[in-house]
Amino acid sequence: MDDQYYMREALKEAEKAGQINEVPIGAVIVLQDKIIARGHNLRETEQNAISHAELLAIDRACRSQGTWRLEEATLYVTLEPCPMCAGAIIQSRVKRVVFGASDPKGGCVGTFMNLLQDDRFNHQAEVTSGILSAECGQILTEFFKGIRLRKKAEKESRKALMEKNWK
């Protein structure tokens, strides 16, 4: 098993999110070459700001291991973690983080800033970026393109209805 294999597993989680109209971000946590937890975004479904893929996977991993310390685990996630998720990674002592697509608007694992390797914290994580970045970026691009197309169609439909009612 290698980074690409596990990132494909994270992409499967991202696809699950996209199928329920969630931003398609997925995560898996691996310990000793075994996936111990999975997660995908559920913010809209749960109407909960902290229902990010990484946080859900970390919670499940801690429960499955019976500890909050994930010191030998690797987190694979399709999009670079945000500041909240980076904080959870630090707090749970994840050893290594592997992400696919960079996030220029909120990525805190090297793009906007790098919280995971800031030596002012009591824990740092190894970071590998860009694994299957094209695939990870494409699923997000297609999702947001679909949203824009639906909004445009709704706007045109409302406009046509208004014009019809005015005649």
Side-chain angles (χ1 to χ4, degrees):
M1 310 290 179
D2 63 3
D3 287 345
Q4 289 189 6
Y5 172 84
Y6 292 118
M7 189 59 73
R8 283 189 188 89
E9 292 297 309
L11 276 164
K12 289 177 186 177
E13 290 298 312
E15 289 169 6
K16 290 178 188 177
Q19 290 169 0
I20 57 172
N21 292 320
E22 292 281 354
V23 176
I25 300 170
V28 297
I29 297 181
V30 176
L31 183 64
Q32 298 172 348
D33 292 322
K34 180 182 173 198
I35 295 174
I36 61 168
R38 295 172 176 272
H40 56 270
N41 270 9
L42 290 174
R43 277 195 317 182
E44 297 299 329
T45 301
E46 295 183 358
Q47 288 299 295
N48 187 336
I50 65 170
S51 291
H52 286 204
E54 302 96 307
L55 296 181
L56 296 171
I58 288 169
D59 181 57
R60 291 173 183 145
C62 291
R63 290 174 194 271
S64 78
Q65 300 304 299
T67 181
W68 60 270
R69 291 180 180 93
L70 302 173
E71 295 169 324
E72 296 303 316
T74 299
L75 168 68
Y76 291 84
V77 62
T78 57
L79 182 66
E80 180 180 3
C82 71
M84 176 176 64
C85 292
I89 291 163
I90 292 166
Q91 292 300 314
S92 62
R93 310 295 195 265
V94 168
K95 181 177 184 174
R96 181 170 176 245
V97 173
V98 179
F99 70 88
S102 296
D103 183 358
K105 294 183 180 180
C108 286
V109 185
T111 300
F112 187 68
M113 64 177 58
N114 190 348
L115 295 175
L116 296 187
Q117 295 181 318
D118 188 323
D119 61 9
R120 293 174 293 179
F121 290 114
N122 62 339
H123 175 77
Q124 292 78 42
E126 298 170 30
V127 175
T128 303
S129 61
I131 302 299
L132 300 181
S133 61
E135 293 92 329
C136 293
Q138 186 64 31
I139 194 171
L140 289 161
T141 299
E142 289 175 12
F143 177 79
F144 288 113
K145 180 179 178 183
I147 288 175
R148 287 190 298 276
L149 289 173
R150 280 192 301 277
K151 286 183 177 180
K152 181 178 179 183
E154 289 170 5
K155 183 178 178 181
E156 289 171 0
S157 177
R158 282 192 307 272
K159 182 179 176 183
L161 183 60
M162 287 175 61
E163 288 174 356
K164 180 181 174 184
N165 289 337
W166 285 22
K167 289 182 180 182

